[in-house]
Amino acid sequence: MLRSRKTGIVNIRMVITEEKILSNIDKVQKLINPNSKKQIVQLDDDAYFKDLIESIKMYLIEYPKKKNFPASVYKSAYGLVEYATNQFEENTKQIEELIRQREKNIGLSAQLKELLDITIKKDNDWKAYVKNGSKLFQEDIIEALSIIGRAKTDTSNNYKDALKLVNARISNLESNLHIEIDMERIEDKSKALSYIGIEIADALKGIPTPVEVVEEEQRSKIEQEQYLAETRVDVKPSLWQRIKQSKIARVLTYAFKAKTNIGSNALPEGRGE
């Protein structure tokens, strides 16, 4: 038997496991860190990531004496969920911005089509339309439209090259290929983040907050209240409220419901709600 300063009397295997779980939590945090070189890409294909989450979850669930649960593991697991929640919220903002950009590009493609048609037909005011188009499109497109409008024939190489360039830009704006790729990448990351939120956060709810953590939170609360009294800043919502508000447990019903071109895989079922 070995006495642990933080957890009371526990067996050697549990002490070793505690160190291993802390290491696993750190590994998971690095995998979801957007600044890390090695990040999780495909949740469904990443058995290593799932095994790490499973090991953490089972430690939280199967720990024999919840009242003596290691404060270090509790704080690290709680911090992991909070970090994942923050990243999930940022990803949701990025998805929403990409959706707005995609809608804008579709609108621009329609405008460029109309502008191309005007220059091909050489309407009386085509030059004015092209000039106004410079507010929306890059210089190479405006120059190509000008070549098309001034051309005496549609068989010259300059005309054909200009037409090819404009049509390629219209196609790119319509397809939004780079945006779709970015959305898929962010969606995969958010699946991993929501997996953490569902599995680890649910397991944490069954563990009483360790005394060390309670005391630390009380000190932090007092300091926060003093700060708020001086600055009158609204109190931030609790982690559990933020998880609920960010819809981590229902990730595919909000963050990606506006996606029309990407199929969404079902999220792994979590325990409980």
Side-chain angles (χ1 to χ4, degrees), residues 119-135:
T119 55
I120 289 175
K121 293 179 180 178
K122 295 179 173 56
D123 290 356
N124 292 333
D125 296 331
W126 74 266
K127 291 183 180 179
Y129 280 104
V130 171
K131 184 177 180 180
N132 289 334
S134 63
K135 300 175 183 178

Side-chain angles (χ1 to χ4, degrees), residues 101-112 137 173:
Q101 184 61 53
R102 183 177 63 180
E103 292 172 348
K104 179 181 178 181
N105 286 353
I106 292 173
L108 286 173
S109 70
Q111 290 178 282
L112 187 53
F137 304 105
L173 288 170

Side-chain angles (χ1 to χ4, degrees), residues 141-155:
I141 294 299
I142 299 303
E143 183 178 350
L145 289 169
S146 298
I147 292 173
I148 294 170
R150 293 194 302 266
K152 303 298 183 183
T153 174
D154 60 3
T155 58

Side-chain angles (χ1 to χ4, degrees), residues 246-264:
S246 67
K247 296 182 174 61
I248 266 191
R250 303 184 298 280
V251 57
L252 298 182
T253 64
Y254 173 68
F256 311 114
K257 73 176 182 180
K259 296 178 62 183
T260 57
N261 298 326
I262 300 176
S264 297

